[in-house]
Amino acid sequence: MINWYQLAHDKEKTMIQIRRHLHQYPELSFEESHTHDYIVNQLEQLSCEIRRPVGKNGIVATFKGQGDGPTIALRADFDALPITELNDKPYRSKNEGCMHACGHDGHTAILLGVAEIINEHLAHLNGNVVLIFQYGEEIVPGGAQQMIDDGCLDGVDRVYGNHLWSGYPTGIIYSRPGAMMASPDEFTVKITGKGGHGAKPHETIDPIVILAEFILSAQKIVSRTVDPIKQAVVTFGMIQAGASDSVIPDSAICKGTVRTFDPDVQTHIMNKLDKLLQGLAVANDIEYDLAYERGYVPVHNNPQAYEVVKEAANDLNLRFTEADMMMVGEDFSAYQRVRPGAFFLTGSGNASKGTDHPHHSPYFDIDEAALKYAASEFLKILELEDVIKTERL
């Protein structure tokens, strides 16, 4: 038997070193040139085939086995966010206004650690391992579909992905069969009325008041028109109008997000938003523009692949918990539309280390002890999928 946890534990310092380097030099989605080159440099030291760029900026590394086992893909993302880091750590971001605030530096370090361990056990490789290093996860349309279109899943039988999660305790593995993460849509509404003096509102068509009415009315879409069994969220995150206390502006803008699991509910909410605006336009003589962008499809885990994730955690004596459905989005779902696969979360939250801040926070950090748990989980999955044999071939 190969003790995957011990091997991942032995590789922990390497993964931490990689993660901290990437954390200091974050790059925004679709702009990850340094990160791309760093990953390639690490992979070039190993006995794998490297293809790049895949899509715009992706990398695919393939370890080929000697047997007739399946081909399994493992994926990590490597883009960062436009956030100024407020942590006072020696490895804090050196790129002002850019930060790894979602753990993608950790994801990449984990997969590079897995690559090194596979490289050290090539004689045990019964099938093929495809490592997908993906750019641009944070911004729709994401990098996954572009990499798929460029053949990153050609010949792949199943695909697995991991996300470090600060909301869960370090080392616990979370997943669920079927729907796991929602479709994250975005919308922008601009209402154009007629501006004027704040002392003479009767001579204007006040877009702020009408926008406020729209926002309040939209709250009823989910609570009164969507089946309560079918989860949905409508949230407004930005309102912008005017620049003076005594001037009614010509226009007002708001932005928001819609989260759903069911495509019919997704379409229903989009249409309801438009109908609300149509009614307000007729009643108030305004013009409006609704820009609605559908996000990633929901993450939907294949039942058999989910069972592999669960069995791997149990065999490693890691704690496993069935995850709740989550309203966050992830473009790992694009891979799952093409090949069966499963996504899992590895807890990285530890209040004593200050790593329990939410994702996308300027104080976000990960408990680096989680790296070895995720790496060993990936390796055990490869064994259970018969890609790696515990005995030499």
Side-chain angles (χ1 to χ4, degrees):
M1 292 290 291
I2 299 177
N3 188 331
W4 298 118
Y5 176 79
Q6 185 60 52
L7 291 171
H9 184 275
D10 294 343
K11 197 66 66 175
E12 185 174 40
K13 288 184 179 179
T14 298
M15 291 189 288
I16 290 174
Q17 182 181 17
I18 292 171
R19 182 258 164 170
R20 292 187 177 185
H21 173 85
L22 293 172
H23 193 86
Q24 290 179 79
Y25 300 99
E27 294 175 298
L28 297 177
S29 303
F30 300 94
E31 300 176 12
E32 313 94 333
S33 58
H34 167 82
T35 308
H36 171 276
D37 293 345
Y38 178 85
I39 295 168
V40 170
N41 182 64
Q42 296 294 311
L43 292 171
E44 285 178 340
Q45 302 173 47
L46 309 178
S47 299
C48 60
E49 295 181 3
I50 303 170
R51 188 161 75 90
R52 50 137 179 144
V54 181
K56 181 181 185 298
N57 209 18
I59 306 153
V60 173
T62 303
F63 291 90
K64 292 190 174 181
Q66 306 173 47
D68 57 359
T71 297
I72 301 299
L74 309 177
R75 173 268 204 170
D77 42 15
F78 57 76
D79 55 327
L81 289 156
I83 295 172
T84 297
E85 182 166 9
L86 297 181
N87 289 316
D88 185 18
K89 300 287 180 66
Y91 52 85
R92 65 171 293 172
S93 172
K94 294 183 178 181
N95 294 343
E96 187 67 23
C98 187
M99 175 189 176
H100 272 295
C102 202
H104 297 190
D105 50 344
H107 302 165
T108 301
I110 290 163
L111 207 57
L112 286 172
V114 167
E116 290 192 17
I117 294 171
I118 293 172
N119 192 67
E120 294 161 3
H121 293 79
L122 292 175
H124 296 262
L125 209 55
N126 182 49
N128 304 318
V129 180
V130 175
L131 304 181
I132 299 171
F133 294 88
Q134 182 203 313
Y135 60 95
E137 187 277 332
E138 293 288 358
I139 297 178
V140 174
Q145 189 59 55
Q146 293 179 3
M147 292 189 70
I148 292 167
D149 293 342
D150 200 11
C152 75
L153 291 180
D154 290 355
V156 169
D157 295 298
R158 282 187 182 170
V159 57
Y160 293 88
N162 162 70
H163 204 303
L164 297 169
W165 207 255
S166 66
Y168 292 146
T170 298
I172 302 178
I173 305 297
Y174 291 79
S175 190
R176 64 176 293 114
M180 181 173 172
M181 292 182 172
S183 180
D185 300 351
E186 300 174 356
F187 64 87
T188 300
V189 173
K190 180 179 181 180
I191 291 178
T192 303
K194 179 182 177 183
H197 200 292
K200 297 182 177 182
H202 59 290
E203 296 179 357
T204 72
I205 302 175
D206 191 338
I208 295 178
V209 173
I210 298 164
L211 182 63
E213 184 177 350
F214 167 68
I215 292 171
L216 288 173
S217 297
Q219 305 308 307
K220 296 183 289 186
I221 294 175
V222 173
S223 66
R224 289 297 177 267
T225 73
V226 174
D227 184 340
I229 302 300
K230 297 181 178 180
Q231 300 91 335
V233 170
V234 177
T235 294
F236 291 86
M238 189 277 275
I239 301 172
Q240 187 177 72
S244 172
D245 58 357
S246 61
V247 177
I248 294 173
D250 285 319
S251 63
I253 297 172
C254 69
K255 294 186 177 184
T257 183
V258 174
R259 306 294 173 115
T260 57
F261 288 95
D262 186 323
D264 291 336
V265 174
Q266 180 187 43
T267 299
H268 168 79
I269 292 175
M270 180 179 67
N271 291 339
K272 279 291 186 181
L273 290 171
D274 193 51
K275 286 182 178 180
L276 281 176
L277 291 165
Q278 290 177 28
L280 290 169
V282 171
N284 298 280
D285 296 322
I286 54 103
E287 294 181 355
Y288 75 89
D289 178 68
L290 169 63
Y292 193 101
E293 184 173 19
R294 292 177 183 260
Y296 309 138
V297 297
V299 171
H300 196 280
N301 286 336
N302 173 271
Q304 288 75 36
Y306 160 78
E307 289 296 334
V308 173
V309 170
K310 182 178 180 181
E311 183 179 352
N314 290 333
D315 287 355
L316 290 166
N317 294 316
L318 303 180
R319 287 181 58 189
F320 179 86
T321 300
E322 184 165 311
D324 295 328
M325 295 171 71
M326 308 172 75
M327 284 298 179
V328 297
E330 236 286 355
D331 79 338
F332 183 80
S333 58
Y335 302 106
Q336 293 175 309
R337 296 182 72 181
V338 181
R339 297 288 187 271
F343 197 64
F344 64 92
L345 308 176
T346 302
S348 63
N350 187 330
S352 67
K353 296 181 179 180
T355 65
D356 56 346
H357 292 281
H359 291 252
H360 297 202
S361 162
Y363 294 101
F364 176 85
D365 200 358
I366 61 172
D367 182 355
E368 293 169 327
L371 303 179
K372 61 180 176 290
Y373 296 110
S376 61
E377 176 76 8
F378 269 144
L379 291 161
K380 190 65 180 182
I381 286 170
L382 294 176
E383 179 189 322
L384 292 174
E385 286 282 14
D386 201 35
V387 177
I388 295 179
K389 296 286 191 182
T390 54
E391 68 278 0
R392 294 170 65 92
L393 296 181

PDB file of all heavy atoms in Angstrom, residues 318-331:
ATOM      1  N   LEU A 318      -9.792  10.745   6.521  1.00  0.00           N
ATOM      2  CA  LEU A 318     -10.134  12.157   6.610  1.00  0.00           C
ATOM      3  C   LEU A 318     -11.614  12.278   6.936  1.00  0.00           C
ATOM      4  O   LEU A 318     -12.418  11.419   6.569  1.00  0.00           O
ATOM      5  CB  LEU A 318      -9.844  12.877   5.287  1.00  0.00           C
ATOM      6  CG  LEU A 318      -8.416  12.802   4.750  1.00  0.00           C
ATOM      7  CD1 LEU A 318      -8.310  13.560   3.433  1.00  0.00           C
ATOM      8  CD2 LEU A 318      -7.413  13.349   5.758  1.00  0.00           C
ATOM      9  N   ARG A 319     -11.971  13.324   7.611  1.00  0.00           N
ATOM     10  CA  ARG A 319     -13.395  13.549   7.876  1.00  0.00           C
ATOM     11  C   ARG A 319     -14.088  13.959   6.577  1.00  0.00           C
ATOM     12  O   ARG A 319     -13.595  14.817   5.847  1.00  0.00           O
ATOM     13  CB  ARG A 319     -13.579  14.630   8.938  1.00  0.00           C
ATOM     14  CG  ARG A 319     -13.226  14.195  10.350  1.00  0.00           C
ATOM     15  CD  ARG A 319     -13.451  15.323  11.331  1.00  0.00           C
ATOM     16  NE  ARG A 319     -14.832  15.790  11.317  1.00  0.00           N
ATOM     17  CZ  ARG A 319     -15.245  16.886  11.953  1.00  0.00           C
ATOM     18  NH1 ARG A 319     -14.380  17.636  12.620  1.00  0.00           N
ATOM     19  NH2 ARG A 319     -16.515  17.252  11.891  1.00  0.00           N
ATOM     20  N   PHE A 320     -15.229  13.342   6.318  1.00  0.00           N
ATOM     21  CA  PHE A 320     -16.002  13.672   5.123  1.00  0.00           C
ATOM     22  C   PHE A 320     -17.396  14.103   5.550  1.00  0.00           C
ATOM     23  O   PHE A 320     -18.035  13.466   6.394  1.00  0.00           O
ATOM     24  CB  PHE A 320     -16.103  12.466   4.172  1.00  0.00           C
ATOM     25  CG  PHE A 320     -16.925  12.763   2.941  1.00  0.00           C
ATOM     26  CD1 PHE A 320     -16.340  13.340   1.824  1.00  0.00           C
ATOM     27  CD2 PHE A 320     -18.298  12.507   2.922  1.00  0.00           C
ATOM     28  CE1 PHE A 320     -17.095  13.650   0.703  1.00  0.00           C
ATOM     29  CE2 PHE A 320     -19.058  12.803   1.798  1.00  0.00           C
ATOM     30  CZ  PHE A 320     -18.451  13.379   0.689  1.00  0.00           C
ATOM     31  N   THR A 321     -17.879  15.180   4.951  1.00  0.00           N
ATOM     32  CA  THR A 321     -19.218  15.691   5.247  1.00  0.00           C
ATOM     33  C   THR A 321     -19.921  16.008   3.939  1.00  0.00           C
ATOM     34  O   THR A 321     -19.312  16.597   3.038  1.00  0.00           O
ATOM     35  CB  THR A 321     -19.156  16.972   6.107  1.00  0.00           C
ATOM     36  OG1 THR A 321     -18.503  16.669   7.339  1.00  0.00           O
ATOM     37  CG2 THR A 321     -20.558  17.501   6.396  1.00  0.00           C
ATOM     38  N   GLU A 322     -21.175  15.613   3.831  1.00  0.00           N
ATOM     39  CA  GLU A 322     -21.933  15.971   2.636  1.00  0.00           C
ATOM     40  C   GLU A 322     -22.248  17.459   2.679  1.00  0.00           C
ATOM     41  O   GLU A 322     -22.840  17.969   3.628  1.00  0.00           O
ATOM     42  CB  GLU A 322     -23.224  15.163   2.532  1.00  0.00           C
ATOM     43  CG  GLU A 322     -23.985  15.445   1.245  1.00  0.00           C
ATOM     44  CD  GLU A 322     -25.064  14.431   0.944  1.00  0.00           C
ATOM     45  OE1 GLU A 322     -24.781  13.223   1.000  1.00  0.00           O
ATOM     46  OE2 GLU A 322     -26.202  14.862   0.661  1.00  0.00           O
ATOM     47  N   ALA A 323     -21.837  18.159   1.645  1.00  0.00           N
ATOM     48  CA  ALA A 323     -21.973  19.610   1.600  1.00  0.00           C
ATOM     49  C   ALA A 323     -23.415  20.023   1.346  1.00  0.00           C
ATOM     50  O   ALA A 323     -24.192  19.293   0.719  1.00  0.00           O
ATOM     51  CB  ALA A 323     -21.081  20.185   0.501  1.00  0.00           C
ATOM     52  N   ASP A 324     -23.769  21.195   1.850  1.00  0.00           N
ATOM     53  CA  ASP A 324     -25.040  21.809   1.488  1.00  0.00           C
ATOM     54  C   ASP A 324     -24.917  22.382   0.078  1.00  0.00           C
ATOM     55  O   ASP A 324     -23.821  22.684  -0.402  1.00  0.00           O
ATOM     56  CB  ASP A 324     -25.392  22.940   2.460  1.00  0.00           C
ATOM     57  CG  ASP A 324     -25.648  22.439   3.873  1.00  0.00           C
ATOM     58  OD1 ASP A 324     -26.152  21.305   4.010  1.00  0.00           O
ATOM     59  OD2 ASP A 324     -25.325  23.174   4.823  1.00  0.00           O
ATOM     60  N   MET A 325     -26.066  22.550  -0.592  1.00  0.00           N
ATOM     61  CA  MET A 325     -26.053  23.255  -1.865  1.00  0.00           C
ATOM     62  C   MET A 325     -25.639  24.707  -1.615  1.00  0.00           C
ATOM     63  O   MET A 325     -26.010  25.305  -0.610  1.00  0.00           O
ATOM     64  CB  MET A 325     -27.428  23.179  -2.518  1.00  0.00           C
ATOM     65  CG  MET A 325     -27.826  21.759  -2.895  1.00  0.00           C
ATOM     66  SD  MET A 325     -29.546  21.599  -3.440  1.00  0.00           S
ATOM     67  CE  MET A 325     -29.491  22.420  -5.022  1.00  0.00           C
ATOM     68  N   MET A 326     -24.849  25.257  -2.538  1.00  0.00           N
ATOM     69  CA  MET A 326     -24.261  26.573  -2.342  1.00  0.00           C
ATOM     70  C   MET A 326     -24.647  27.502  -3.485  1.00  0.00           C
ATOM     71  O   MET A 326     -24.718  27.066  -4.640  1.00  0.00           O
ATOM     72  CB  MET A 326     -22.739  26.456  -2.254  1.00  0.00           C
ATOM     73  CG  MET A 326     -22.258  25.428  -1.245  1.00  0.00           C
ATOM     74  SD  MET A 326     -20.482  25.132  -1.316  1.00  0.00           S
ATOM     75  CE  MET A 326     -19.888  26.627  -0.536  1.00  0.00           C
ATOM     76  N   MET A 327     -24.874  28.758  -3.172  1.00  0.00           N
ATOM     77  CA  MET A 327     -25.277  29.727  -4.177  1.00  0.00           C
ATOM     78  C   MET A 327     -24.103  30.399  -4.886  1.00  0.00           C
ATOM     79  O   MET A 327     -24.310  31.291  -5.702  1.00  0.00           O
ATOM     80  CB  MET A 327     -26.178  30.791  -3.545  1.00  0.00           C
ATOM     81  CG  MET A 327     -27.584  30.290  -3.284  1.00  0.00           C
ATOM     82  SD  MET A 327     -28.405  29.826  -4.842  1.00  0.00           S
ATOM     83  CE  MET A 327     -29.989  29.259  -4.246  1.00  0.00           C
ATOM     84  N   VAL A 328     -22.884  29.977  -4.589  1.00  0.00           N
ATOM     85  CA  VAL A 328     -21.725  30.484  -5.326  1.00  0.00           C
ATOM     86  C   VAL A 328     -21.628  29.751  -6.663  1.00  0.00           C
ATOM     87  O   VAL A 328     -22.266  28.712  -6.860  1.00  0.00           O
ATOM     88  CB  VAL A 328     -20.430  30.278  -4.515  1.00  0.00           C
ATOM     89  CG1 VAL A 328     -20.480  31.077  -3.234  1.00  0.00           C
ATOM     90  CG2 VAL A 328     -20.198  28.791  -4.220  1.00  0.00           C
ATOM     91  N   GLY A 329     -20.845  30.313  -7.580  1.00  0.00           N
ATOM     92  CA  GLY A 329     -20.683  29.703  -8.895  1.00  0.00           C
ATOM     93  C   GLY A 329     -19.239  29.311  -9.158  1.00  0.00           C
ATOM     94  O   GLY A 329     -18.315  29.832  -8.525  1.00  0.00           O
ATOM     95  N   GLU A 330     -19.042  28.390 -10.094  1.00  0.00           N
ATOM     96  CA  GLU A 330     -17.712  27.871 -10.426  1.00  0.00           C
ATOM     97  C   GLU A 330     -17.730  27.345 -11.850  1.00  0.00           C
ATOM     98  O   GLU A 330     -18.611  26.572 -12.207  1.00  0.00           O
ATOM     99  CB  GLU A 330     -17.350  26.725  -9.474  1.00  0.00           C
ATOM    100  CG  GLU A 330     -16.054  26.888  -8.704  1.00  0.00           C
ATOM    101  CD  GLU A 330     -14.798  26.675  -9.533  1.00  0.00           C
ATOM    102  OE1 GLU A 330     -14.908  26.305 -10.716  1.00  0.00           O
ATOM    103  OE2 GLU A 330     -13.703  26.889  -8.990  1.00  0.00           O
ATOM    104  N   ASP A 331     -16.746  27.736 -12.668  1.00  0.00           N
ATOM    105  CA  ASP A 331     -16.783  27.257 -14.050  1.00  0.00           C
ATOM    106  C   ASP A 331     -16.207  25.850 -14.219  1.00  0.00           C
ATOM    107  O   ASP A 331     -16.042  25.372 -15.336  1.00  0.00           O
ATOM    108  CB  ASP A 331     -16.139  28.257 -15.009  1.00  0.00           C
ATOM    109  CG  ASP A 331     -14.625  28.240 -15.036  1.00  0.00           C
ATOM    110  OD1 ASP A 331     -14.018  27.770 -14.051  1.00  0.00           O
ATOM    111  OD2 ASP A 331     -14.042  28.733 -16.022  1.00  0.00           O
TER     112      ASP A 331
END
